[in-house]
Structures are given as structure tokens and as C-alpha cells.
């Protein structure tokens, strides 16, 4: 296919495709003339993954290039491919003490949490630092909240992760698998948070006996205050 068709099928503008070619994020096509080349489905798949890494995950072009190189090096190991694309971060601060700061004193609590859940994660998993910083903040606010109270949330997270991976179980192409895992994980996160809020509202209504006629129901008086009875 020509570059115009590649652009149409991948959803990436021609100018951006040429930029990715110059930066090495996209492998060259088969030259057919001094300024022309033919491209194939492998270019479409790679462009979709680049778009997911840069546009959805928010990585820099350089970071995306490193991830892509790692995906190709480990294409026979789906576990490591997923670790590369899902563990990559747009900001080094996401990895905790990547800038040379001291490790969180709560990291030992995170390790205890992971042990209690029976999870197998790498020592440098970026999510560990996020959990540790959250526990730090809770402690600074004076809340009585330790790692043990995160166990039920971890158990729910494990069920969500199983659903995530079930969705890509049949994919054999490493680039397609990486793209789908990345897009579904990152794009679904806001929806999952919204579902949590909706579920909280539902649980509150069920536990407190508030039905659809509650204070926030359509047509309900402002502030939940009923008007005075008619004389």
C-alpha cells in the first residue's frame, strides 16, 4: 500500500508517519522509487501501537522507541511484552524514587500487602511506589489506614486484571496484543473510576433506603426540602 493508504488505515496523518519514519519508530517500507515506498500490514500494526504509546499512554517519542525495541526483542515472551507496554510511564516521577530520592518508608508495607495477596510482581514495578506514596499521604493526614485495609481492594483488582487478560488471551501477534492491552487498560481506567462512584451511590441508596424518589431524583425540590402544603 502507498503511504496515503497507510495513513487511512492507521488513522495517523501522513506528516506524522514521515516523522515516525525519520525517528525510527516505524520501519521503512519497500522502496519502489527514489521518493516512494510500499507498506504492509506490519506497518499498520506498528503505527497503531505507536499511537497508543504516544497518544494514549503519553510517552515521549524516545521512550516509545525504547518500548517498541523491547517488544520486538521479547516477542516470544507475552508476559514481558505486557510488562513493557503497561509498565512504561510518561513521567519518571511515576516510578517513585527514580530521580534519586529516598525510597518511601511505606514500601515494606506494600511488600507485606503483596505477600498477603500472593501476587508475583517485579521489584521495580512502578505501581508499588504509587501505593507507598498513597500510604504516606494517609499517614500524614493522621488517618488510621494501613496496608491491611487495602487487601479487599487488591482482591477486587485481581479479578479486574483477570478480565483484562482474558480479553487478549487469543491474540498471538505481539504488536496487536501490546496495543490492545495498552489501549484497553489506559482508556478503561476513567470508566472504572466512574463505575466505582456509581456503585457507591447505589450502595448508599440501598443501605439507607433511598430509592429513585431520593433528594437527587429528577423533579425533587432543591435541597431535598418539600414545599409547604397547600392551604
Amino acid at each position: 500500500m502507498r503511504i496515503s493508504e497507510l495513513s487511512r488505515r492507521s488513522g495517523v496523518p501522513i506528516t506524522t508517519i514521515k516523522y515516525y519514519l525519520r525517528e525510527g519508530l516505524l520501519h521503512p517500507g519497500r522502496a519502489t522509487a527514489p521518493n516512494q515506498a510500499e507498506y504492509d500490514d506490519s506497518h499498520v500494526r506498528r503505527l497503531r501501537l505507536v499511537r497508543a504509546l504516544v497518544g494514549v499512554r503519553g510517552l515521549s517519542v524516545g521512550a516509545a522507541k525504547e518500548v517498541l525495541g523491547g517488544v520486538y526483542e521479547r516477542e516470544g515472551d507475552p508476559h514481558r511484552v505486557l510488562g513493557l507496554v503497561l509498565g512504561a510511564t510518561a513521567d519518571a516521577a511515576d516510578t517513585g524514587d527514580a530521580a534519586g530520592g529516598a525510597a518511601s518508608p511505606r514500601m515494606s508495607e506494600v511488600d507485606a500487602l503483596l505477600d498477603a495477596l500472593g501476587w508475583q510482581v517485579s521489584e521495580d514495578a512502578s505501581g508499588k511506589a504509587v501505593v507507598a506514596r498513597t500510604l504516606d499521604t494517609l499517614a500524614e493526614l493522621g488517618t488510621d489506614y494501613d496496608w491491611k485495609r487495602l487487601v479487599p481492594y487488591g482482591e477486587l483488582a485481581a479479578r479486574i486484571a483477570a478480565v483484562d487478560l482474558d480479553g487478549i488471551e487469543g491474540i498471538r501477534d505481539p504488536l496487536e496484543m501490546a496495543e490492545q492491552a495498552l489501549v484497553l487498560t489506559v482508556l478503561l481506567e476513567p470508566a472504572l473510576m466512574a463505575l466505582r462512584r456509581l456503585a457507591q451511590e447505589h450502595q448508599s441508596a440501598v443501605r439507607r433506603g433511598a430509592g429513585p424518589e431520593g433528594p437527587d431524583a429528577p423533579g425533587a425540590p432543591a435541597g431535598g426540602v418539600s414545599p409547604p402544603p397547600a392551604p
Side-chain angles (χ1 to χ4, degrees), residues 28-64:
R30 182 178 62 85
T32 58
N35 295 314
Q36 294 184 1
E38 288 285 338
Y39 303 92
D40 57 30
D41 287 341
S42 68
H43 293 88
V44 176
R45 290 194 298 271
R46 179 141 178 163
L47 272 177
R48 286 174 176 166
L49 180 54
V50 171
R51 186 175 61 178
L53 289 169
V54 176
V56 177
R57 194 68 178 90
L59 298 187
S60 67
V61 169

Side-chain angles (χ1 to χ4, degrees), residues 206-231:
V206 170
R207 297 183 185 200
R208 290 165 176 77
E213 296 78 18
D216 293 328
V225 179
S226 300

Side-chain angles (χ1 to χ4, degrees), residues 134-184:
T134 302
L135 291 172
D136 281 336
T137 302
L138 289 168
E140 290 169 1
L141 293 175
T143 61
D144 182 20
Y145 205 104
D146 64 10
W147 66 267
K148 295 177 182 177
R149 296 180 65 178
L150 290 177
V151 171
Y153 293 98
E155 292 170 345
L156 291 173
R159 293 171 59 188
I160 293 174
V163 173
D164 290 338
L165 295 186
D166 285 346
I168 61 173
E169 190 65 33
I171 300 176
R172 294 291 175 259
D173 181 86
L175 289 183
E176 183 182 358
M177 179 180 64
E179 177 207 356
Q180 289 299 312
L182 184 63
V183 171
L184 290 176

Side-chain angles (χ1 to χ4, degrees), residues 3 13-29 39 43 46-47 50 61-62 65:
I3 194 170
I14 292 176
T15 53
T16 304
I17 292 175
K18 291 181 177 179
Y19 172 66
Y20 289 161
L21 286 166
R22 290 195 303 270
E23 294 297 318
L25 273 78
L26 183 66
H27 51 293
Y39 303 92
H43 293 88
R46 179 141 178 163
L47 272 177
V50 171
V61 169
K65 186 176 180 179

